[in-house]
Amino acid sequence: GAGVSQSPSNKVTEKGKDVELRCDPISGHTALYWYRQSLGQGLEFLIYFQGNSAPDKSGLPSDRFSAERTGGSVSTLTIQRTQQEDSAVYLCASSTTSPDTQYFGPGTRLTVL
Amino acid sequence: KNEVEQSPQNLTAQEGEFITINCSYSVGISALHWLQQHPGGGIVSLFMLSSGKKKHGRLIATINIQEKHSSLHITASHPRDSAVYICAVSPSRGGSNYKLTFGKGTLLTVNP
C-alpha cells in the first residue's frame, strides 16, 4: 500500500514569508508525528497527534510554528514569518498506535533565504 | 549529556566485515528503535525492541535494559548497507512514550 507522503519535497522561501508543509499518513494510522532534522543537529520531535486527542505541541520551537490534523488524516505544519534557522528537513511519520513502528515520509527540505 | 549516545560517530568497513553500532541511554524507556537513513533518502525503521534480541536478515539488534544499552549488528556487510544508523528511545515517563529522543547517528561506509 501507499506509504507516508509529504509535499512539497523542496521549498525555498524568503525570510519573513509563511510556509505550509503537508503530510498524508498511511491510511488507518491514528498516530502522526512531525520531526525536524537540521544539519548537525540530528532529529528532534516537534508535535504528535493521536486520534481525536489534543496534540502534544511541546516540541514546537516557537509560536511561529503550528500544526493541525484534519479529519484524523492529513496534517499541515505551518511556519509563519520564516527565519533562516528554520531551514531544515521536516519529516512526518505515522503509526498504528504508540509506541509502535513509525513509518516516515520522504521529508520536505525547507530553505529560507 | 545527551539522553541517547551512539558510538562510533563514523565507521568505515570493508565488504564482508561484521559491524557493531552501539547505543547507550540514560532514561527509563518503553522501547528502543533503530532507524536507517540512506544519503539523501528517507528514514526506514529497522527494529523496535524492548527486551532481548531481534533479527531481520543480516541485521541483529540487542538490548540490555539493566545496562541501558543496545547494539545493532550487521553481518556480512555490503556497500548497500552504507547509511546513517540512528538509535531512538521512547521514554517510559508520564505517558509520553510517543516522544522519541534520538541519538546523533552513526555514519557507516562499507567499501567494496
Side-chain angles (χ1 to χ4, degrees):
Chain A
V4 177
S5 61
Q6 292 186 245
S7 61
S9 54
N10 281 283
K11 177 71 176 179
V12 180
T13 191
E14 293 179 350
K15 179 180 171 182
K17 301 280 191 184
D18 297 351
V19 295
E20 278 191 358
L21 312 179
R22 177 187 167 107
C23 172
D24 280 271
I26 293 173
S27 178
H29 281 191
T30 59
L32 186 147
Y33 318 75
W34 282 98
Y35 300 101
R36 180 168 70 176
Q37 187 173 37
S38 305
L39 194 61
Q41 295 295 319
L43 281 151
E44 60 177 323
F45 166 85
L46 295 179
I47 188 169
Y48 167 74
F49 295 90
Q50 172 59 268
N52 295 321
S53 301
D56 180 343
K57 305 179 181 180
S58 60
L60 295 178
S62 79
D63 59 7
R64 296 185 295 103
F65 288 71
S66 63
E68 63 177 22
R69 188 178 185 191
T70 53
S73 181
V74 171
S75 178
T76 303
L77 177 69
T78 301
I79 309 173
Q80 295 179 311
R81 305 181 303 282
T82 52
Q83 303 294 312
Q84 288 184 330
E85 61 263 27
D86 300 334
S87 296
V89 176
Y90 290 83
L91 291 151
C92 174
S94 70
S95 64
T96 53
T97 60
S98 186
D100 197 358
T101 298
Q102 295 186 24
Y103 296 84
F104 286 78
T108 294
R109 181 174 298 277
L110 175 65
T111 303
V112 182
L113 302 177
Chain B
K1 186 178 186 296
N2 292 330
E3 290 184 342
V4 182
E5 297 275 359
Q6 286 186 237
S7 63
Q9 287 185 315
N10 293 279
L11 180 57
T12 300
Q14 289 300 121
E15 183 173 357
E17 286 184 356
F18 181 82
I19 304 290
T20 296
I21 298 170
N22 296 298
C23 176
S24 296
Y25 52 93
S26 57
V27 297
I29 68 169
S30 58
L32 183 142
H33 306 250
W34 281 103
L35 311 171
Q36 180 192 57
Q37 185 173 33
H38 281 101
I43 294 175
V44 174
S45 180
L46 298 175
F47 296 102
M48 186 181 84
L49 65 166
S50 55
S51 65
K53 174 179 172 178
K54 286 191 175 181
K55 184 176 190 293
H56 185 254
R58 294 180 296 106
L59 303 178
I60 303 166
T62 64
I63 189 168
N64 185 317
I65 295 294
Q66 287 72 30
E67 295 186 2
K68 291 187 166 60
H69 181 269
S70 176
S71 293
L72 177 68
H73 304 287
I74 305 175
T75 62
S77 59
H78 190 275
R80 64 176 174 267
D81 297 326
S82 297
V84 175
Y85 292 83
I86 302 167
C87 173
V89 299
S90 298
S92 57
R93 63 177 180 270
S96 300
N97 58 16
Y98 50 81
K99 194 182 292 186
L100 293 186
T101 301
F102 297 86
K104 293 192 181 298
T106 295
L107 175 60
L108 171 65
T109 304
V110 181
N111 294 318

